[in-house]
Amino acid sequence: MALLRWAAVISSRRSRRTAALSLAVLLVAVPAACSNDDDNAVDETIVATTSTTIPTLIAGDGQLVIGALLPLSNTLLGEPMANAVETAVDRMNAAGGVLGERVRLVVADEGSSTATAAASIQTLLSRDVDAIIGPASSLVALSTLDEIVTAGKVVCSPTASALALDGFPDEDLFFRTVPSDSLQARAIAGAADQTGSQRVTIVFVDDAYGRPLADSVEASLANEAIVVVERVPVSVADDDLSDEARYVADSDTQVLVLLADGESGTRFLEALDDVDTSELSTIVVNDAFRNPSSPQRIQALDEILRAKIVGLAPQAESSDAAAPFDPPGPYATNAYDCANLIALSAVLAGSDAPRDIARQLSQASVNGSACTTFEDCVNAIEAGRLIDYNGPSGVTDLLARTGDPSRAVFDRFTFNETGRDVLQRTVIVGS
């Protein structure tokens, strides 16, 4: 997702990545949620290793071992997701575990770079994990997924939403509980269509994230009675976007779709603030604008311009502050769902072998008896029923063909006078 998308750079998607990985890696176990006794979900705290040997892929050994690769130092996003995974494993083990054994959890720090993440993945593989929850970053996923898939492990990312992952050659081992940006593109196109306007200009960051998202939005708009007047690329390295802003203002566009990271997008809005935008009725922005790092810059925009901004972002947590999801925190439910779907798939398969789990993972989320907890779902399986796992958000349907959500809830947000985002309503996209 763009909120966690530090970049989305793609080299050859068909070639296997063979670059050597860093040897030294620091892996940190998430603090136990409940106590420090033997029932803790985190079974290993790995301080350092110099192993570069990836173990030979083997069949299941009867104990499910889940690895979590998440940005632990990111208190806003990484910490809630890591806590959610630990909570899920605690609850599995309290309910009797999987295949008659405790589920073992090994947590690794994704860090803030592909080098750190790649080294952490290497060490997770050396610990014989059956599945990995993560990576969180789309960049890390694109850069390291080949390594994990080659080792034959199941992967479930709670936040890597890049369009480039839609068709990644993953040997049916990669799944996501966050919607692909292709669904976000449909949500954005729907918001543009609801304005009643017929002329749209798409401004997008000219990189491996912005270009495919702009293509997807344009393709979605083609299904509506809307004409894309212009496509205007902007460079993240360009400090002066006044020419592009003036070009948009001088066109006959009625709706602007702005697809960018938070910094570049805010700079473009500031450039628009210096020109006449009276012809623009609406500015639709993507999820990177939510929770702005510099709300004072949004606050400083002319209130008329600010009032025209509408954003769409995947639902990260409960829209009702008085009734938060369990577990709470941004994207915590996505990580929690990954853990439960992996474990339930092992129960359905009667095996902890990664490929056996992968064959069941999408099926565990659709077309069966609805269940919302690991224990209830296991009881349904033991009663001979198919299951339809619905996590805390209530929307957990994965497509068998792609391993991605078939539908998702998006938050439609605006900005208040302080420059902070405000939830307007939720929108369900997909089928």
Side-chain angles (χ1 to χ4, degrees):
M1 56 175 306
L3 192 60
L4 269 173
R5 187 180 300 101
W6 300 306
V9 180
I10 312 168
S11 55
S12 172
R13 287 168 54 188
R14 292 185 171 84
S15 65
R16 295 293 180 194
R17 296 169 179 82
T18 57
L21 301 178
S22 302
L23 299 183
V25 57
L26 178 65
L27 294 177
V28 184
V30 179
C34 301
S35 65
N36 292 320
D37 58 25
D38 291 339
D39 291 330
N40 290 344
V42 179
D43 290 272
E44 292 188 59
T45 301
I46 307 166
V47 177
T49 178
T50 56
S51 171
T52 58
T53 302
I54 296 177
T56 302
L57 183 62
I58 59 173
D61 60 6
Q63 182 180 35
L64 178 63
V65 182
I66 297 176
L69 181 73
L70 298 167
L72 303 181
S73 60
N74 186 323
T75 56
L76 176 64
L77 297 167
E79 187 175 302
M81 289 192 290
N83 288 339
V85 173
E86 184 180 353
T87 297
V89 173
D90 277 336
R91 292 174 180 175
M92 291 171 200
N93 289 331
V98 172
L99 306 177
E101 299 286 342
R102 290 180 74 253
V103 177
R104 193 156 62 86
L105 175 62
V106 184
V107 180
D109 188 9
E110 180 177 331
S112 58
S113 71
T114 54
T116 302
S120 296
I121 289 171
Q122 182 86 348
T123 305
L124 281 179
L125 295 179
S126 75
R127 291 301 186 273
D128 240 356
V129 299
D130 300 305
I132 293 176
I133 298 171
S137 162
S138 287
L139 168 61
V140 172
L142 288 163
S143 300
T144 62
L145 190 54
D146 270 345
E147 182 75 19
I148 304 171
V149 168
T150 298
K153 307 300 183 181
V154 179
V155 192
C156 182
S157 176
T159 48
S161 62
L163 272 160
L165 291 165
D166 286 16
F168 198 95
D170 57 18
E171 299 184 26
D172 298 324
L173 290 170
F174 176 60
F175 301 83
R176 290 186 279 191
T177 52
V178 68
S180 163
D181 283 338
S182 57
L183 281 184
Q184 183 177 189
R186 289 171 58 183
I188 289 170
D193 180 52
Q194 289 169 8
T195 65
S197 301
Q198 295 183 325
R199 298 188 302 279
V200 174
T201 290
I202 302 175
V203 174
F204 61 97
V205 171
D206 192 13
D207 63 10
Y209 158 66
R211 288 189 294 271
L213 183 55
D215 291 342
S216 189
V217 170
E218 184 170 13
S220 296
L221 286 170
N223 297 323
E224 316 292 346
I226 300 176
V227 175
V228 176
V229 178
E230 297 286 351
R231 284 172 53 115
V232 181
V234 297
S235 170
V236 294
D238 190 350
D239 292 330
D240 183 2
L241 299 177
S242 56
D243 288 344
E244 291 88 344
R246 190 174 299 107
Y247 183 81
V248 171
D250 290 343
S251 70
D252 61 350
T253 191
Q254 297 168 308
V255 175
L256 168 64
V257 171
L258 177 56
L259 310 172
D261 58 271
E263 171 58 29
S264 300
T266 301
R267 281 194 284 112
F268 189 82
L269 289 173
E270 290 169 334
L272 274 182
D273 208 22
D274 293 330
V275 298
D276 180 9
T277 58
S278 57
E279 295 301 315
L280 276 177
S281 67
T282 309
I283 301 171
V284 185
V285 300
N286 60 301
D287 60 320
F289 289 81
R290 195 168 198 186
N291 298 313
S293 57
S294 301
Q296 65 272 16
R297 293 171 64 185
I298 302 295
Q299 180 184 28
L301 297 174
D302 183 275
E303 61 180 341
I304 296 176
L305 178 67
R306 189 173 60 244
K308 295 179 180 182
I309 303 172
V310 172
L312 277 303
Q315 187 179 61
E317 52 191 330
S318 174
S319 57
D320 184 356
F325 289 145
D326 173 26
Y331 297 100
T333 183
N334 298 68
Y336 186 81
D337 289 344
C338 277
N340 277 325
L341 284 169
I342 289 166
L344 290 170
S345 297
V347 174
L348 283 167
S351 166
D352 65 304
R355 292 189 183 278
D356 292 341
I357 292 171
R359 280 189 284 270
Q360 297 291 334
L361 209 145
S362 293
Q363 292 301 316
S365 70
V366 294
N367 300 330
S369 298
C371 51
T372 58
T373 69
F374 173 80
E375 185 173 14
D376 287 347
C377 290
V378 169
N379 289 338
I381 293 170
E382 291 177 347
R385 299 195 298 271
L386 298 175
I387 62 167
D388 179 357
Y389 168 74
N390 291 309
S393 71
V395 181
T396 317
D397 298 342
L398 305 188
L399 291 165
R401 181 175 54 85
T402 64
D404 293 340
S406 61
R407 62 192 181 111
V409 179
F410 288 84
D411 290 340
R412 179 183 168 114
F413 63 92
T414 57
F415 293 105
N416 63 18
E417 65 279 359
T418 70
R420 298 287 182 180
D421 63 285
V422 178
L423 176 66
Q424 216 177 40
R425 64 176 181 272
T426 58
V427 179
I428 296 180
V429 178
S431 57

